[in-house]
Amino acid sequence: MGLNNTRISYALIATLSITSMPVAVIEAQQASEGAARLMEEVTVTARRREETELQTPIALTTFSGAALQERGIENLVDLDSFTPGLSIGGAPSRGQTRASFSIRGIGTHQTGINTDPTVGIYVDDVYYPQMEGGLLDLLDVERIEVLRGPQGTLFGKNTMGGAIRYFTVQPGEEFGGRARITLGSYARQDVDAAVDIPLADNLGLRATAALKQRDGVVTRLSDGVKLGNEDVQATRLQLRWTPGEWDVRASLDNTVAKNNGPARDILFICPWVPGGTAWSFGADRSTTNCIFPYRFNLNTGEIFDDRFVTADPYTVSGGDPLSHTDTRRKGGGLSFRRDFGNVTFTATTGWQKGEQSSLLNWAQTSLPLLITRDEEHWQSWTQELQFSGVAANDRLNWSAGVFYFTNDASNDANLPGSFSQGLPSVPSRNTRESTSTAFYFQGTYDVTEKLGVTLGARYTEDEEYRTAGVTAPLDVEQGTWDTVDPKLSLEYQFTDALMGYVSASRGYRPGGFSTWQMNGIDELRLYDEEQLWNYEIGVKGRFIDGRLQLTAALFQGDYDDLQVTTVQIDTGNNNQQFRVTENAARAHVNGGEIEFQALLTDKFLLRGSYAALDTGYDEIDPISTLDPVASKFVRAPEDSYSIGLQYISGLATGGELSWNLDYGWKDDQETSNTGTQNITIEAYGLLNGRLQYTPPGANWRVALVGSNLLDEEYIISGADNAIKQGVIGIVHVDRGRPREYGIQISMDF
């Protein structure tokens, strides 16, 4: 496959060595009750039919609801440490109020209303186009599926990097529920509960609510406020009606998330040079490349310089006391499903509406500069009709469908008029109306009892209507893109316990418009769609009497017309900076992944994963402004791994004690795909733990929980606007949370 990475080669050799064991040794056997609990098999629907992860010829990682709780995974960002190839963090300048996702190095740091994500997020098969409002707390989860590689011939929006599918617990047939409270450091107070209420023999209601609060971690010295706090309120109502052969499900949800600004630390501010004037270069420019105007206000003589940098990474000098980000999101879903025998019909409708309001002080000082105000609104609808079934004497499994998506979004911002002289803010408005229509088909034919062939294709048409401008009139543009993306794979069942597959598939992301600023006037410029061919080979199996589960994959991804975001300067408007997206290159994303679970005893489970990644630019478009030397792929660590232990033991006095320890490590990764603003997230590892006691015969449990137990100092995002891109004279990072611990009490009723 053209991979030159020895790390990947060694991993494949180890995998093939295991899978070449005699069949008699690797045949799966019925494990004991304790072993079965540790080595649970999660049923997935990644191919639109129920099967286990090991039966699915796709690179994916699954988590059951029970496994999520036992491992202390409470929001999507927690998956980052334990899923090979997955990297999640905050978007630059936004902290955790806006999520940035990458799978196998396929991601983007430019998030918001004007960007299509490379990783699709689905809740009960409803596509979420906007990830504002935090990193999606996991509330009432049945399971999570993380699919790696292009997705599109089976469901939902066409995405290049992969998909994260989040399934909620459905209403039960009997009255009952659960409740949980967590108290911990940083004034943490979390309460969540769910209750099932039968309304009739075939009609049930499930109500879920959660309240989560905790303090921030970066102290503002001017008033003692801790930045990066969390205040989330969430509710969800679900109905399930099963009249005859129909399965009808409806849901309504509402989330309100607030914080007092990102947990931001200022690393560097351009130093003051005595005698310097606004827009002059300092004498030390040769060593720092710092070109910021050092004097804040020529009339008063106020100086913005490195005196405002604090030594403690968890403190900042000051900031605006009104700093905040408030997000409100609500939505609903409605699905109809009926089994007609050999054909199943499913119709899924989803609706999302949200708004985010923010006031951010980039400088984090007492000076009234670098303050931005931002208002975003969005509303989306999705509609999917799908037929699936079996044919040809049950040798053909097929699925076909139609998908429609529309999203109307707007952004109104007030940006600083002049970073050096405190001029009035400049209003900016962007709107985007986008639609996506797709027809898709995929079928798997069993040529023999062991060999299967899968063919699929998806036709997609995307349309976008954009307006943008700082001054009237707004520039208006419209664009349309379409594509046919195929998929081909071969699957072979070597034994009942071992299968392998090879596949080739293509993913696509539509083009769009970027706002170029010239002499203070906005102009929308078109950029084209990007495409990615992904070639993959993988094996999955259970070995040694079912006590070892292993999956491994090698992949090669070839990009064409890669979209990158670069920083430009409007020299005719006080050197204001602006970001643009452009087609820059042909590129590659190659790598390999291994996951395993080993049942050392009926009570002791060892689990782990490893991912290796090689990314780079193969050819640069001559008209592109991308610097191929300084620029890196966003959130693409060369190496990452995780290791975890789980132990379950009965006590002599009755009851049960279980503990989990998980450590995840990632190599250096970048916050941006442009070298002019990039901050390198240095390699770090996080250790999380949980110790739980269940009394004999009780319906409640108590647990000690801890995260980042080694108190690792790390960042989740950042931007360099001083040394690399000296426009506003600061380098800032958003800090990850330090060590936290707490006690959690859970009850079923």
Side-chain angles (χ1 to χ4, degrees), residues 402-717:
V402 180
F403 176 79
Y404 177 78
F405 162 77
T406 180
N407 187 36
D408 294 340
S410 65
N411 175 278
D412 292 278
N414 282 300
L415 307 176
S418 170
F419 292 129
S420 67
Q421 300 175 46
L423 296 181
S425 61
V426 178
S428 172
R429 178 169 177 79
N430 288 271
T431 69
R432 184 190 189 202
E433 299 177 13
S434 58
T435 61
S436 182
T437 305
F439 304 89
Y440 59 88
F441 170 83
Q442 181 169 306
T444 299
Y445 183 76
D446 294 331
V447 180
T448 69
E449 291 184 356
K450 294 181 178 293
L451 176 64
V453 179
T454 297
L455 288 173
R458 176 192 184 97
Y459 170 78
T460 306
E461 181 180 274
D462 289 288
E463 186 173 4
E464 178 176 322
Y465 179 85
R466 277 286 309 278
T467 69
V470 172
T471 58
L474 300 180
D475 193 11
V476 179
E477 296 289 347
Q478 184 173 1
T480 302
W481 304 266
D482 60 6
T483 182
V484 176
D485 295 311
K487 176 175 181 176
L488 169 65
S489 73
L490 301 176
E491 307 101 43
Y492 193 81
Q493 195 73 40
F494 295 98
T495 71
D496 290 342
L498 175 64
M499 67 91 70
Y501 67 91
V502 294
S503 67
S505 59
R506 188 170 68 180
Y508 147 92
R509 187 159 64 140
F513 297 92
S514 274
T515 306
W516 289 71
Q517 298 172 7
M518 295 299 168
N519 299 318
I521 304 299
D522 287 351
E523 174 189 340
L524 287 170
R525 295 188 185 180
L526 175 74
Y527 58 88
D528 293 327
E529 70 272 15
E530 66 178 11
Q531 293 181 327
L532 173 79
W533 270 104
N534 182 73
Y535 309 96
E536 188 167 323
I537 179 172
V539 293
K540 298 186 176 188
R542 277 201 172 192
F543 318 113
I544 314 176
D545 295 332
R547 290 182 172 268
L548 173 64
Q549 176 175 307
L550 185 143
T551 65
L554 293 176
F555 60 89
Q556 175 177 314
D558 294 329
Y559 263 115
D560 191 22
D561 287 330
L562 175 66
Q563 299 170 6
V564 299
T565 302
T566 59
V567 176
Q568 306 296 321
I569 305 297
D570 185 356
T571 57
N573 185 31
N574 289 331
N575 286 347
Q576 290 279 30
Q577 68 173 359
F578 61 96
R579 297 179 179 87
V580 298
T581 300
E582 56 183 350
N583 300 100
R586 295 175 60 88
H588 66 269
V589 284
N590 304 334
E593 304 150 346
I594 293 179
E595 288 184 279
F596 75 89
Q597 295 184 71
L599 196 63
L600 304 182
T601 73
D602 286 352
K603 300 179 180 180
F604 192 13
L605 178 72
L606 175 68
R607 55 180 172 246
S609 67
Y610 171 73
L613 191 60
D614 172 38
T615 63
Y617 298 102
D618 302 320
E619 181 181 330
I620 303 297
D621 192 317
I623 67 173
S624 171
T625 60
L626 178 73
D627 182 347
V629 177
S631 301
K632 308 291 183 180
F633 274 54
V634 64
R635 298 194 179 278
E638 289 189 359
D639 295 281
S640 59
Y641 68 86
S642 68
I643 191 75
L645 304 171
Q646 183 174 4
Y647 184 79
I648 300 176
S649 176
L651 301 177
T653 56
E656 180 184 87
L657 190 67
S658 64
W659 58 267
N660 281 265
L661 279 177
D662 285 285
Y663 181 78
W665 182 88
K666 289 187 183 299
D667 208 345
D668 292 354
Q669 49 186 320
E670 315 304 328
T671 62
S672 167
N673 60 9
T674 173
T676 56
Q677 276 193 314
N678 178 65
I679 290 288
T680 298
I681 300 176
E682 295 184 353
Y684 68 91
L686 299 179
L687 177 66
N688 298 338
R690 178 185 177 91
L691 177 63
Q692 177 175 288
Y693 169 67
T694 304
N699 64 345
W700 61 274
R701 302 166 297 282
V702 60
L704 299 177
V705 296
S707 59
N708 192 7
L709 294 174
L710 300 179
D711 205 20
E712 182 86 350
E713 183 183 307
Y714 67 104
I715 64 174
I716 62 171
S717 64

Side-chain angles (χ1 to χ4, degrees), residues 11-33:
L12 180 61
I13 292 172
T15 302
L16 295 177
S17 299
I18 295 175
T19 57
S20 63
M21 294 179 180
V23 173
V25 176
I26 64 175
E27 290 296 329
Q29 302 293 330
Q30 179 66 39
S32 66
E33 181 177 348

Side-chain angles (χ1 to χ4, degrees), residues 379-417:
Q379 180 168 306
S380 67
W381 287 88
T382 59
Q383 179 65 64
E384 187 170 7
L385 303 177
Q386 186 182 85
F387 295 88
S388 60
V390 295
N393 296 320
D394 294 342
R395 300 181 72 172
L396 174 64
N397 281 274
W398 61 273
S399 178
V402 180
F403 176 79
Y404 177 78
F405 162 77
T406 180
N407 187 36
D408 294 340
S410 65
N411 175 278
D412 292 278
N414 282 300
L415 307 176

Side-chain angles (χ1 to χ4, degrees), residues 43-46 60-62 143-147 163-165 167:
T43 299
V44 301
T45 57
L60 79 159
T61 301
T62 60
R143 74 179 187 279
I144 289 179
E145 302 174 6
V146 181
L147 284 63
I164 300 177
R165 306 177 70 202
F167 296 91

Side-chain angles (χ1 to χ4, degrees), residues 149-211:
Q151 306 297 320
T153 59
L154 278 176
F155 59 88
K157 191 81 162 58
N158 195 342
T159 50
M160 302 178 63
I164 300 177
R165 306 177 70 202
Y166 169 177
F167 296 91
T168 62
V169 178
Q170 294 299 307
E173 297 179 353
E174 299 180 355
F175 178 82
R178 60 161 187 81
R180 181 174 59 181
I181 182 171
T182 307
L183 303 175
S185 51
Y186 294 94
R188 180 180 179 182
Q189 300 178 64
D190 295 353
V191 179
D192 65 274
V195 59
D196 289 323
I197 305 174
L199 302 178
D201 289 342
N202 58 2
L203 179 63
L205 168 70
R206 185 174 180 87
T208 309
L211 173 63

Side-chain angles (χ1 to χ4, degrees), residues 137 139 209-213 231-235 254-258 327 329:
D137 287 313
L139 177 65
L211 173 63
K212 299 187 175 185
Q213 296 178 330
D231 185 352
V232 179
Q233 302 174 37
T235 56
N254 184 71
T255 301
V256 178
K258 301 179 180 181
T327 308
R329 178 195 296 273

